[in-house]
Amino acid sequence: MSQHAAPPRVAAAEAPSANRKDTLPKRSSLQEPMRWSDSFDRLSVGQRFRTGGRAITDTDVMVFSALTGDWHPQHCDAEWAARSPFGGRIAHGMLTISLAVGLVPLDPELVLALRRVGDVVFKRPVHLEERIRVEGEISALTPVDQHAGLVNFGWAVRNQDDALVCRARVEVLWRRLPADYAGPFRAFWHDPITAETPAGEFIPVPL
């Protein structure tokens, strides 16, 4: 047999990433939507959520620049940004993912900690006044002990045109509660998400 009969295995691993699907896989029509008021043991792999939207404003960008010290002209200098490949000012990537976290209505009585944000990929720029929202799906559930478990999500951040601007893997520590638990914040957030202010902010509703 010729020593050149087969191509090296590394060729498949180096295939262009353009073939990767940016959309979440379709779920079964029998899968119930995710409820933010459910304890860890009531969640299921494959459950999905979708948040409301939020516009990224000039104020957001300037305040984020002041907080972080990142005054890159792509974000803060309109004249400079107009000559850039993006044609204008855009939001910081870290601002985009930070606002995405704020859009997801994590119940403070159930979500004990944000443990990891990883595999973040920025797909396209977010210009000022564009609106972003988050779509997500539970990809794994791992019990830790009798009190909590880890919930792994796949997030897709999209703009007002439904185009993917960012994707990430997010892991949170989620409380396990007895089936008869009836704490004061059992449904802290609207569930499912229906309420949205004109600014795209969610309203906490303690019971």
Side-chain angles (χ1 to χ4, degrees), residues 17-149:
S17 59
N19 294 327
R20 183 187 303 165
K21 293 184 178 179
D22 288 331
T23 56
L24 296 171
K26 293 182 178 180
R27 63 176 172 85
S28 168
S29 59
L30 299 178
Q31 178 69 67
E32 294 183 359
M34 182 179 173
R35 290 174 52 87
W36 295 100
S37 58
D38 282 343
S39 66
F40 176 83
D41 295 286
R42 295 179 63 86
L43 300 175
S44 301
V45 171
Q47 286 182 317
R48 288 186 169 191
F49 71 87
R50 173 175 172 169
T51 73
R54 186 196 195 285
I56 297 183
T57 67
D58 172 73
T59 299
D60 294 326
V61 171
M62 300 308 287
V63 169
F64 189 82
S65 295
L67 286 172
T68 62
D70 182 354
W71 292 98
H72 192 288
Q74 184 67 71
H75 311 302
C76 306
D77 188 327
E79 184 177 346
W80 189 98
R83 301 192 302 269
S84 74
F86 298 120
R89 295 170 59 200
I90 62 173
H92 306 69
M94 296 308 295
L95 171 59
T96 299
I97 193 67
S98 296
L99 291 177
V101 173
L103 282 172
V104 177
L106 302 174
D107 190 321
E109 288 295 306
L110 295 172
V111 176
L112 304 176
L114 175 64
R115 187 169 186 268
R116 177 182 293 126
V117 177
D119 298 328
V120 180
V121 180
F122 298 104
K123 301 294 291 184
R124 52 177 45 82
V126 179
H127 291 84
L128 272 60
E129 302 306 327
E130 286 193 7
R131 293 180 66 83
I132 62 169
R133 60 178 173 79
V134 184
E135 294 179 354
E137 180 176 331
I138 297 177
S139 56
L141 294 166
T142 307
V144 174
D145 55 27
Q146 62 179 328
H147 304 294

